[in-house]
Amino acid sequence: MNNFKLLKYAVLSCILLNFASCKSIDIKEKVENKTVPENFGVISSDTLSVAKINWKDYFTDEHLQNLIEMALQNNQEMNILMQEIDITKNEIRIKKSEYLPSVGIKAGTGFEKAARFTNIGAMEATTNIAPGKEMPEPLGDLGIGLVANWEIDIWGKLHHAKNAAIKRYLATVEGKKFMQTQLVAEIAQSYYELLALDNELEIVQQNIEIQNNALNVVKLLKEAARTNELAVKRFQAQVLKTTGLQYQIKQRIVETENKINFLVGRFPQTIQRTTTGFEKLIPTKISTGIPAELLTNRPDIKKAELLLEAAKLDIKYAKARFYPSVGISAGIGYGAFNPSYLLKPESLMYSLAGDLMAPLLNRNAIKAEYKNANAKQIQAVYNYEQTVLMAYVEVVNQLSKIKNLENSINLKQQEVDALNQSITISNNLFKSARADYMEVLLTQREALDAKFELIETKMQQMQSSISVYKALGGGWN
């Protein structure tokens, strides 16, 4: 009886010691700031963000739609990310499996010869398997059975690990959506850049024709002794300069086409595109909604939020490691020294055991992991807040850019119209010897530059409408 009491007190002391050693350190988690301004710098009555519009409805150009469709299927970076999603999904399966007992089948064989002058050897020498039948020597050992081990998740450690894996899986899904918004926007911007380059090339070719006509006029005037060789050479140089410019534009067209081909996931080929009406393109009207919608519309913000939630669960997992783990192990099967006895009822063997284990000597390592988890949670908070801030700034910048570009285009169009009239006037004045040839050349050069600037500004306007669509969270739905 005294021995039983002693054993009971010993077990109780061990349990109390374990729990005493399980006390964790408390670290206060940082709370993220989710507040955003009420509007994007101006009072807006928009109730629906343009980000809600499907990209097929936002981009109505059929050729552009086809390019985006192909890119979403064939883009290599997108396909790489899809494999990352599968990896994180498998991580969930791994964490879920830790909830269940690990069950396996175990079979083995062997033999052993114990020394005669040992306790086992002495017992074997004086033991008979059956009346008149001595213990075989060496002694065989055959066994087959099931074994199982199970950690009982009392403190939620495995539960937190599984939920953290789920959050990271969902974050990769949001990452895929964000990549899609990036991909859709990049293809659309490159497509409109290509249309702009086509228009620039057309303008250059038109100017080459105009300048060649002017050169022919100057040659005739020289023959009539109404001008000199210097004027002829200056007009000829201007024609050569403009002719050389078209090859620079052609090279840019090839590079832009191949950029789109790369995004689409195919080898270089001609990009099918709309060839007329670029100057008359009108960007889609932008409705911004309220800034708070960014938190749900932007996949990168949702990804940062999910990673933050996973980091919080990692802290709970690390904290649960301070507490004792409870495990159960069990086994059942048959064992014998001879195959003929293996399946007899007397050969049945089984075991069932439970254990309680708490960290004692390795608490410093667990503390370090706990502090690391907390530091990563703080990092995740800053990353989330930075992502929200960056999204808001992007929208404000693009809205301002769209407004300023619209005003710039109106003024630039008036400049182009005025310079086009100046070309005709200067040519007529030069023919009648009332203007110097330098005035004609300067007018032609200014008109060409103004037309280029108008096309570039129009391209920036179209690209800004794409950028604000992406900044508001559009392109993934």
Side-chain angles (χ1 to χ4, degrees), residues 410-422:
N410 294 332
L411 294 174
K412 188 61 64 176
Q413 184 63 62
Q414 295 176 36
E415 179 184 353
V416 169
D417 293 340
L419 288 171
N420 284 337
Q421 295 174 11
S422 298

Side-chain angles (χ1 to χ4, degrees), residues 371-390:
K371 290 180 179 179
N372 279 345
N374 185 75
K376 290 178 181 179
Q377 185 265 342
I378 295 174
Q379 282 183 330
V381 169
Y382 288 134
N383 180 64
Y384 173 79
E385 293 175 347
Q386 182 185 49
T387 305
V388 173
L389 178 60
M390 187 182 302

Side-chain angles (χ1 to χ4, degrees), residues 158-308:
L158 303 180
H159 176 74
H160 296 320
K162 183 203 72 172
N163 286 343
I166 292 174
K167 297 296 183 183
R168 289 190 171 89
Y169 163 71
L170 295 175
T172 57
V173 174
E174 294 300 329
K176 180 254 182 184
K177 292 179 183 178
F178 183 63
M179 179 175 287
Q180 179 172 325
T181 66
Q182 300 283 93
L183 183 61
V184 169
E186 192 169 0
I187 289 177
Q189 289 177 336
S190 298
Y191 180 80
Y192 285 116
E193 181 181 355
L194 195 57
L195 298 187
L197 290 170
D198 288 341
N199 277 262
E200 289 182 4
L201 182 60
E202 184 179 351
I203 289 171
V204 167
Q205 291 171 343
Q206 290 173 356
N207 274 268
I208 291 172
E209 184 178 355
I210 293 172
Q211 291 171 5
N212 273 319
N213 292 334
L215 176 61
N216 292 331
V217 171
V218 172
K219 288 180 179 179
L220 292 174
L221 292 174
K222 176 179 177 293
E223 292 176 1
R226 293 178 58 187
T227 189
N228 53 38
E229 183 66 17
L230 178 60
V232 174
K233 293 300 182 182
R234 295 300 299 267
F235 272 85
Q236 187 177 23
Q238 183 67 27
V239 172
L240 293 172
K241 180 180 179 180
T242 308
T243 303
L245 182 60
Q246 71 176 334
Y247 296 108
Q248 298 177 19
I249 297 174
K250 286 181 179 180
Q251 178 60 27
R252 288 179 61 192
I253 288 174
V254 170
E255 292 176 358
T256 305
E257 281 187 320
N258 289 339
K259 178 182 178 181
I260 295 174
N261 283 318
F262 177 78
L263 295 173
V264 171
R266 66 186 184 187
F267 288 102
Q269 57 184 274
T270 301
I271 299 295
Q272 298 297 320
R273 56 190 181 270
T274 302
T275 55
T276 58
F278 177 76
E279 293 183 4
K280 296 180 180 180
L281 287 175
I282 300 176
T284 304
K285 183 179 178 181
I286 300 299
S287 54
T288 61
I290 58 176
E293 289 183 291
L294 290 176
L295 304 183
T296 56
N297 290 340
R298 292 248 324 198
D300 57 333
I301 294 179
K302 293 168 71 176
K303 177 183 177 180
E305 183 179 10
L306 287 165
L307 290 176
L308 174 56

Side-chain angles (χ1 to χ4, degrees), residues 290-404:
I290 58 176
E293 289 183 291
L294 290 176
L295 304 183
T296 56
N297 290 340
R298 292 248 324 198
D300 57 333
I301 294 179
K302 293 168 71 176
K303 177 183 177 180
E305 183 179 10
L306 287 165
L307 290 176
L308 174 56
E309 292 175 3
K312 292 178 179 178
L313 290 168
D314 287 340
I315 291 178
K316 293 180 179 179
Y317 171 82
K319 190 172 184 178
R321 293 193 61 202
F322 286 100
Y323 305 131
S325 60
V326 179
I328 296 176
S329 59
I332 185 170
Y334 291 92
F337 66 86
N338 190 299
S340 61
Y341 297 116
L342 186 61
L343 299 180
K344 290 181 176 293
E346 295 86 349
S347 298
L348 178 67
M349 57 182 181
Y350 55 85
S351 65
L352 178 64
D355 61 75
L356 178 69
M357 185 175 68
L360 186 61
L361 297 180
N362 61 338
R363 280 177 56 82
N364 286 335
I366 298 175
K367 283 182 181 179
E369 290 182 7
Y370 181 52
K371 290 180 179 179
N372 279 345
N374 185 75
K376 290 178 181 179
Q377 185 265 342
I378 295 174
Q379 282 183 330
V381 169
Y382 288 134
N383 180 64
Y384 173 79
E385 293 175 347
Q386 182 185 49
T387 305
V388 173
L389 178 60
M390 187 182 302
Y392 180 84
V393 171
E394 283 179 7
V395 174
V396 172
N397 286 345
Q398 293 304 324
L399 289 175
S400 175
K401 189 174 182 180
I402 287 176
K403 182 179 179 181
N404 290 325

